[in-house]
Amino acid sequence: MPLSNDIVLRPRFKMEIPRYNESILSDFENTKTTQKEFIITRVDDHVFIKFPKEKQTFWTPQLHLEINKVDDNSSRLHGLFGPNPTVWTLFMFLHFMVAGIFIAFAIWTYTNWSLKENYAVQISVTLLMVLLWITLYFAGSIGKASSTTDMRLLNNFMYSVLDIEK
């Protein structure tokens, strides 16, 4: 599974597993008590694998797995690497705020331009929002790059629980 995609900030993957989904989910439940390296939480068909609080930084990823039953002998696993949901929510809030300010000031710039009034301040803020959005994108990319080792650890742990060769 490649983790080096430059566009995607939250890598996703999908795989077919020739086992019943409850069997896989119980393996994660059992592993929760036998190891201390990761925190494993299960809610219905979802498994969340995280690092303990003392090992977490701002950009530390977690792995969200959804294990769906295909039939009695196979399951489909959907995986998503991403930051802590609180960090992701803040990140998305900042993106939407920048987009909203950009749209508002772009409309204001156009209005002043069409009325032949001064629009230097409005176009400056509009361009500043573009620069801020680019900065947010690169901050997310840097965060993803800095957590690649952690994503690999989560990935290797998932494969070891599933007892599957990579």
Side-chain angles (χ1 to χ4, degrees):
M1 172 187 62
L3 297 175
S4 62
N5 189 334
D6 292 332
I7 303 296
V8 178
L9 291 178
R10 293 176 29 166
R12 299 170 187 271
F13 62 93
K14 175 171 52 170
M15 66 174 71
E16 299 289 328
I17 301 173
R19 289 174 53 202
Y20 184 60
N21 74 327
E22 283 300 324
S23 166
I24 298 167
L25 291 165
S26 66
D27 284 350
F28 280 103
E29 282 284 332
N30 297 336
T31 305
K32 180 193 317 190
T33 58
T34 60
Q35 58 82 37
K36 300 286 184 217
E37 192 175 346
F38 299 98
I39 296 170
I40 301 170
T41 309
R42 176 185 170 193
V43 178
D44 297 328
D45 289 348
H46 299 266
V47 175
F48 300 90
I49 306 171
K50 309 184 233 189
F51 286 92
K53 285 279 187 205
E54 61 272 3
K55 292 183 180 179
Q56 288 183 10
T57 63
F58 186 74
W59 291 109
T60 301
Q62 69 179 25
L63 178 56
H64 172 208
L65 303 173
E66 183 178 358
I67 304 166
N68 297 319
K69 174 183 172 184
V70 174
D71 57 39
D72 288 339
N73 296 323
S74 65
S75 303
R76 183 170 296 122
L77 182 143
H78 297 270
L80 169 66
F81 288 100
N84 180 315
T86 307
V87 171
W88 187 251
T89 302
L90 171 68
F91 201 65
M92 289 295 96
F93 171 76
L94 291 173
H95 269 61
F96 286 121
M97 188 176 72
V98 166
I101 293 171
F102 171 82
I103 291 169
F105 274 83
I107 291 169
W108 194 6
T109 301
Y110 176 73
T111 303
N112 281 2
W113 173 76
S114 45
L115 293 173
K116 299 191 182 347
E117 292 185 16
N118 187 12
Y119 55 90
V121 172
Q122 292 84 1
I123 201 160
S124 298
V125 173
T126 303
L127 294 175
L128 178 65
M129 290 304 111
V130 171
L131 291 175
L132 192 53
W133 179 81
I134 291 169
T135 303
L136 284 171
Y137 175 78
F138 282 114
S141 296
I142 290 168
K144 178 186 159 198
S146 70
S147 61
T148 302
T149 303
D150 291 339
M151 284 194 285
R152 292 195 192 288
L153 289 171
L154 290 166
N155 191 49
N156 292 341
F157 176 73
M158 177 197 68
Y159 275 106
S160 71
V161 172
L162 294 174
D163 198 24
I164 297 175
E165 293 291 324
K166 288 190 235 177

